[in-house]
Each structure stands twice: as structure tokens, then as C-alpha cells.
Amino acid sequence: MEPSEWLEFVNEPLLRVPSSDPQMAPSPPPEKPVAAKTLAQRPIIAPPTPPIPTPPESHAGSPIDEADEPTILSVSTTFYPGAGLAPSLPDIVLLSSDTVFFYVHSPVLLRESSNRLNALLPPPEELASQPPDGVGPVVPLPEPSTTLNLVLHTMYGLSCLHYSPSSATLNAGVDALAKYGVDLKQHIRPGTPLFEHLLGQSPAAPLDFYATAGHHNLWELAAAISPHLLHFPLSDLDDDIDNRMGAFYLKKLFFLHLGRVDALKRLLLPAPQGHPATPECDFLEQKKLTRAWALAAAYLTWDARPDLSPTAIELALRPLGDHLSCEICQTSLHERVKQLTVQWSLVKRTI
């Protein structure tokens, strides 16, 4: 059989290999609510209102009747007055942008935040002067409740996995933690709840998580996420994502892709070993296998991808043995394919 005929047994198996694209993975579960409705138990300090209210219309109901109506509040299902997250009672209330109340402890916030929540918390001496049985001031924050919930879970050292935070919430939460002066390298490292959340969600949006890790110089997180980007075409990167991850992590991503493609080309180069001529298989017959291997290797090299799986390589090269009558050549081909797939599986997959 001529080498050109062998090539038809190379193309078809490779095209049938299932994609290893991480985006084909099942979608993560929907994000769960972080608050529940409850009746107000005590007056809440609301944001200031205009000093001269607009007079009600003549047909409006009595103000006394309106005051008798119960006030419904949205309160965090984790950070509520009786949660018992600290020995003392909550002494400050954080209000999210979507009006969810979080009852928290100022000592925890002051310990974890190096800038008093971006200077939004009252000074420590003012907090210390609050009555011991009081709820304390209400501090409005610009983040939505889902993001603030993640921030507070991280500051308290708790896991928020049961809330199923979305990819957008996780990335926004990391940015908010940095803005509020929380030590990211302390809270986002292997073994911490937030690190595991980010890594677990990364297959759904690896580029966004990798850019967030690069933006905050979280090397361990970026390295753990980088294998999920082997399928991503680098030509699709845009300026916004490049600027967010930074030049250093962009270079590492390029080197990962280019290094694996170059390694694949080098591994494919050696053909199966020949053997001493026999009456059934002389050197001329063995050259047919060598030429067929070269054609198959050239095909794989032309379409070389950093995410090419060992199974795809095996499916592309094993059919070469279907048309070998020499058992020694078949054994040599089998050993060469096995060696190649093992070597390729050992090539570094992380930045």
C-alpha cells in the first residue's frame, strides 16, 4: 500500500474524537438567594430623607394607618441578629445595593479590612461608643447582596458554596475583597473555601477567572486554572481581557500554548524502530511504515493543538497497523504509539 493510501486511515479517526473543550461541561447550578423576608423588630436607621416632605394628596390615606402597616425587610440568611457567628452580638449593619441587611461584627471587619471597608466604616472609637445592646449604625455599600454575601463569608472564614455563587459573583467578590483591603493571598490559597469555589467554577468561564487571578497576582489560582485554557484560541483574546490579566500572565499563557505545540511536534518526529530484514519483511517493506508514519505525523503537526488528547493521537496512529502483515512491525508500531502517548501526557499543562 502506498503512503498516500495510508493517510485516509489517519484523518477519519481523528475527526471523530470528542472535544475536550471545558465549555462543554454541564452548566453550574443557579445561584441561590442570600436573603429572606422578615418583619422589622426595631427601627432601622434609613438613609436621610429630604427635610421638607411633599404634602400628601387630599385623597391619600391617613398617615396613622400607613404607620400601622408592618415593615418587611430582606435580611441575610447567614448574617442575621441571632446567627451566633461571634461571641458578641452584631454591632453594625451593612446594607447592600439591593436593600438586603447584613448584621455583622465590627471587630471582624476591622481585623480583616486594612482600610475600614474603603473608609466606609465609622472610626473604631465611634463604634466603641455604641450602646452594648444597640444594633449600631447602618452602612450602605455599593455591592449587590450576592457579592456582599461572598465578601462577608470570606472575612468570617466561612464557605458560601451552598449559595452556588455564579461566575460573575465570584469574580466581582474577589474585586470587592481587594477594594475593601482584605488580604487576598491569605484568603485565596489552596485549601481555603474561596480558592476551592473559584477553581470549581473555573471550567465554566476559565478566561474570566484566569484574568481575575492575574489582575490580583494570585499565582497559585492562575496556575490551577490554566489547563482549562488549553482549548482557547489565543487569537480571540481582546484588549480588555489582556489588560485585566496583565502582561506577565498573558506571556505565561502564550508560552504554555506554544510550548505544548512545539513539544508535540518534537515527540511525533521519531518513527517506529525497524528490525533486521526477514524473508517476509525486508527493508523496503519497512520503509512503507516509516513513510506512512511521517505522513500521519505531518497531519497531526499541521493541526497541532495544545489541548490535543492522548486518545486522539492514539486513534490517529493505531490504524497504521491494520495493514501491516509483519508482526514485528506491528509490535514496534504499538510500542511507539504507547511511548508517544505517555510522553505527551507528561508534557506540562500549567503555566
Side-chain angles (χ1 to χ4, degrees):
M1 180 178 292
E2 294 301 320
S4 59
E5 297 175 286
W6 290 66
L7 189 57
E8 65 177 297
F9 298 100
V10 177
N11 295 341
E12 188 62 24
L14 182 61
L15 295 176
R16 290 199 297 261
V17 176
S19 171
S20 59
D21 188 341
Q23 292 183 346
M24 300 299 291
S27 300
E31 196 163 9
K32 297 178 182 178
V34 302
K37 302 291 185 181
T38 184
L39 290 175
Q41 300 298 320
R42 61 175 68 205
I44 298 293
I45 303 174
T49 55
I52 304 178
T54 303
E57 300 290 341
S58 59
H59 54 75
S62 169
I64 298 178
D65 295 338
E66 294 176 1
D68 290 340
E69 295 180 1
T71 302
I72 305 297
L73 302 177
S74 293
V75 179
S76 166
T77 55
T78 297
F79 302 95
Y80 56 92
L85 299 176
S88 59
L89 294 174
D91 59 351
I92 193 168
V93 181
L94 303 182
L95 179 62
S96 66
S97 62
D98 51 351
T99 63
V100 174
F101 292 86
F102 294 80
Y103 291 76
V104 291
H105 306 81
S106 60
V108 175
L109 302 184
L110 294 173
R111 181 189 71 226
E112 297 294 333
S113 172
S114 62
N115 59 11
R116 292 185 12 254
L117 292 188
N118 203 26
L120 294 176
L121 283 182
E125 54 272 13
E126 181 178 333
L127 292 171
S129 64
Q130 297 293 328
D133 58 345
V135 176
V138 176
V139 179
L141 297 180
E143 283 75 27
S145 58
T146 52
T147 302
L148 186 55
N149 183 60
L150 185 145
V151 169
L152 292 175
H153 272 78
T154 301
M155 297 178 77
Y156 275 78
L158 303 174
S159 170
C160 61
L161 183 61
H162 53 287
Y163 287 104
S164 301
S166 66
S167 299
T169 296
L170 287 167
N171 283 300
V174 174
D175 291 340
L177 286 167
K179 180 180 76 172
Y180 290 137
V182 178
D183 186 357
L184 295 183
K185 288 183 169 56
Q186 175 67 24
H187 290 283
I188 306 179
R189 53 187 174 84
T192 60
L194 186 52
F195 183 95
E196 302 303 327
H197 297 346
L198 293 165
L199 189 58
Q201 286 276 45
S202 62
L207 187 61
D208 292 337
F209 284 105
Y210 182 83
T212 295
H215 183 69
H216 299 288
N217 194 25
L218 300 170
W219 171 261
E220 292 172 313
L221 180 61
I225 293 171
S226 59
H228 299 300
L229 286 170
L230 292 176
H231 77 285
F232 186 83
L234 298 181
S235 58
D236 289 352
L237 291 171
D238 56 39
D239 292 343
D240 291 339
I241 205 74
D242 293 348
N243 292 331
R244 179 164 173 78
M245 74 175 65
F248 176 78
Y249 286 89
L250 179 62
K251 180 186 73 173
K252 287 293 184 182
L253 185 58
F254 267 87
F255 282 6
L256 173 62
H257 278 234
L258 298 176
R260 281 183 60 84
V261 170
D262 183 64
L264 178 60
K265 293 177 180 179
R266 287 186 283 105
L267 292 174
L268 284 168
L269 190 58
Q273 289 186 352
H275 59 84
T278 64
E280 297 80 13
C281 184
D282 56 14
F283 291 114
L284 185 61
E285 192 70 21
Q286 293 178 45
K287 284 185 178 180
K288 294 182 180 179
L289 173 59
T290 302
R291 287 196 296 268
W293 178 275
L295 285 173
Y299 171 75
L300 288 172
T301 300
W302 180 262
D303 193 36
R305 305 188 309 272
D307 66 330
L308 189 64
S309 68
T311 302
I313 297 175
E314 187 173 0
L315 290 176
L317 297 177
R318 281 200 181 279
L320 299 179
D322 294 344
H323 301 273
L324 293 175
S325 57
C326 175
E327 293 185 0
I328 302 177
C329 288
Q330 288 182 348
T331 301
S332 178
L333 175 64
H334 175 79
E335 293 298 327
R336 179 68 185 94
V337 173
K338 180 180 179 181
Q339 178 192 46
L340 174 60
T341 54
V342 170
Q343 289 175 331
W344 176 238
S345 66
L346 295 177
V347 175
K348 187 179 180 183
R349 295 175 54 87
T350 63
I351 59 172

